[in-house]
Amino acid sequence: FDLIPARFRQLKGLERYFAMARGTPGIDGICALDMTKWFDCNYHYLQPVITKELMKRELKPNFDDYLDRISRAIKMLGRERVRPIVVGPRWYLCSR
C-alpha cells in the first residue's frame, strides 16, 4: 500500500529496506522503525508508522517488490520449496 514514512521516501530498493530496519549512520542519520514484540514470544517485528498524512492519501496496493522476491526465490529454490505468506490487513492495523 506504499505506506512508507516520509523520512524514508528519498531512498530506494535495498537501501530503503535496510534504513527502515536499522536506520542510517552519519550526521543526517535517519532513525529506524521501532521494533515491537509479538505477544509473549521472542519474535519482534518493525512497527508500522501510520500518520494522518499517510491516511489522507488514496491507498493503492503495490505488490511489485513482494512478487519480485517470490519469483527470485522460485528461480533459486524451485516452485515446490517456496511458500509465500501474506499477512492480512487486520494484523497490520491491530499491530498498533
Side-chain angles (χ1 to χ4, degrees):
F1 289 96
D2 197 30
L3 293 175
I4 307 294
R7 66 183 187 258
F8 300 109
R9 289 201 179 265
Q10 75 275 10
L11 305 172
K12 299 291 180 206
L14 280 178
E15 186 180 16
R16 179 191 287 172
Y17 185 78
F18 281 103
M20 290 174 78
R22 296 180 175 213
T24 58
I27 296 171
D28 60 342
I30 301 172
C31 294
L33 292 173
D34 289 334
M35 289 191 76
T36 303
K37 195 169 186 175
W38 178 262
F39 296 108
D40 289 333
C41 67
N42 200 24
Y43 174 76
H44 291 74
Y45 64 94
L46 295 173
Q47 185 173 356
V49 178
I50 302 175
T51 61
K52 290 180 183 179
E53 171 197 320
L54 285 175
M55 295 311 294
K56 288 179 185 175
R57 297 182 349 195
E58 183 180 347
L59 300 178
K60 297 177 186 174
N62 182 355
F63 299 106
D64 293 342
D65 285 345
Y66 185 68
L67 295 174
D68 181 49
R69 288 179 192 180
I70 291 171
S71 23
R72 281 191 288 152
I74 289 172
K75 287 178 188 173
M76 288 172 41
L77 303 172
R79 185 173 298 275
E80 61 281 346
R81 294 188 62 202
V82 176
R83 303 250 188 276
I85 298 173
V86 178
V87 177
R90 182 175 176 188
W91 173 86
Y92 186 73
L93 293 174
C94 291
S95 65
R96 224 24 184 128

